[in-house]
Amino acid sequence: MTVSNPLNVAVRYNGNQLTQTIEKNHFDDKFLINIDYLILNLSSPALCNGNALTTLKDDCFELVLQPFGTKTFKNRYEVFHHNEKIGTLLTTPHSSVLKKDLCQFQFENHLFYTMNLRNLEKLFNAFIDFCDMKFESINRLDIALDLENPDGFYQEVLKRIQNNQLLISGKDKKISPYYVTEKGFPVLTGFTIGSRSASRFLRVYNK
C-alpha cells in the first residue's frame, strides 16, 4: 500500500476533513484509513495528589478545570494548545482499585483529520512533558476505514460471512445486520460484529 494525497472524498464524510488516502497497488479504488477515536492511559503523581489545579498554563498549553468530574475520575480538565481545544484530561480516580496516579487523555476527534499524525505525536509528547506525565497504555483505539460503496462492497462482505465464505476468528461473536426500508423494501445499511464492551468490535455503516 502507498500513501497519497486526498482524492475521492467519501460521500458525506466529516466535513471533508481528509488528510490521508490509502491506495491499493492493484486497484483503482481509494479509501481513507485513519484513527477516529483515541483514549490513552497516563500516570502523573503531581496531578493526582488530591489537590485540583484551577488552571495550569504556559506559552503553549493550558489546562482548565471543569466544574464536574466523571463517575471514574474526580477531576476533568479541558486541554488547549494555543487556544485550540485538543482534548480532555481526567485525573485522580475515585476508586482505590485503580492506581492513584492514573490519568486518561482523550484527543479531540477533529485532530485526526486536520493534522499529520507525526505532528500530532510531537504535540502529544510536548503536552505530557508540560504536565510531567508518563505514557502507560492505550485505553481505547478506534480505526476508521472510509470508502465509497458503488459496487455494494459491504453488502457483499456480509453476504460472504453469512454464506460461510468468510470466517470470523476468535470466540463466538454476535452479528447484527441493520436495515431500513426504501419504497417498502428492506435495504441493508450496515452491520456489527462483536460487542461494544469487547476488546475488538467492528461496525460497518452507511454514512
Side-chain angles (χ1 to χ4, degrees), residues 51-71:
N51 299 318
L53 301 172
T54 304
T55 185
L56 180 63
K57 185 176 181 179
D58 70 358
D59 293 337
C60 298
F61 295 98
E62 181 179 11
L63 272 63
V64 180
L65 181 66
Q66 301 304 297
F68 302 101
T70 68
K71 291 189 296 184

Side-chain angles (χ1 to χ4, degrees), residues 142-159:
D142 291 6
I143 303 294
L145 170 65
D146 287 270
L147 72 162
E148 295 187 7
N149 191 49
D151 300 319
F153 171 76
Y154 70 83
Q155 292 93 334
E156 180 64 21
V157 170
L158 180 59
K159 180 180 178 181

Side-chain angles (χ1 to χ4, degrees), residues 168-173 200:
I168 308 300
S169 64
K171 297 180 180 179
D172 292 348
K173 298 176 178 65
R200 289 177 293 178

Side-chain angles (χ1 to χ4, degrees), residues 9-145:
V9 174
V11 177
R12 296 188 299 279
Y13 193 72
N14 301 341
N16 294 344
Q17 298 181 96
L18 301 188
T19 56
Q20 299 180 77
T21 300
I22 306 298
E23 181 178 347
K24 290 183 288 186
N25 292 334
H26 303 294
F27 299 90
D28 292 332
D29 300 330
K30 297 179 176 62
F31 55 90
L32 172 79
I33 184 169
N34 205 22
I35 297 173
D36 189 63
Y37 196 97
L38 180 59
I39 299 177
L40 300 176
N41 290 335
L42 311 169
S43 60
S44 174
L47 287 176
C48 295
N49 62 6
N51 299 318
L53 301 172
T54 304
T55 185
L56 180 63
K57 185 176 181 179
D58 70 358
D59 293 337
C60 298
F61 295 98
E62 181 179 11
L63 272 63
V64 180
L65 181 66
Q66 301 304 297
F68 302 101
T70 68
K71 291 189 296 184
T72 308
F73 290 89
K74 179 180 177 181
N75 301 321
R76 178 170 59 92
Y77 298 88
E78 290 189 347
V79 181
F80 296 86
H81 178 253
H82 294 304
N83 297 319
E84 177 189 8
K85 185 180 177 183
I86 62 169
T88 300
L89 178 67
L90 304 175
T91 71
T92 313
H94 290 297
S95 173
S96 60
V97 175
L98 299 175
K99 292 177 60 177
K100 63 180 182 179
D101 62 349
L102 175 67
C103 307
Q104 286 185 350
F105 178 72
Q106 178 179 341
F107 285 92
E108 287 292 296
N109 175 271
H110 74 273
L111 296 175
F112 302 120
Y113 300 95
T114 57
M115 287 188 67
N116 178 282
L117 292 182
R118 290 193 180 276
N119 290 336
L120 187 58
E121 179 187 12
K122 293 177 182 178
L123 174 65
F124 172 71
N125 287 334
F127 166 63
I128 61 175
D129 286 345
F130 163 66
C131 293
D132 193 23
M133 292 186 294
K134 179 183 176 182
F135 170 76
E136 297 291 345
S137 61
I138 294 174
N139 178 274
R140 173 177 169 181
L141 171 63
D142 291 6
I143 303 294
L145 170 65

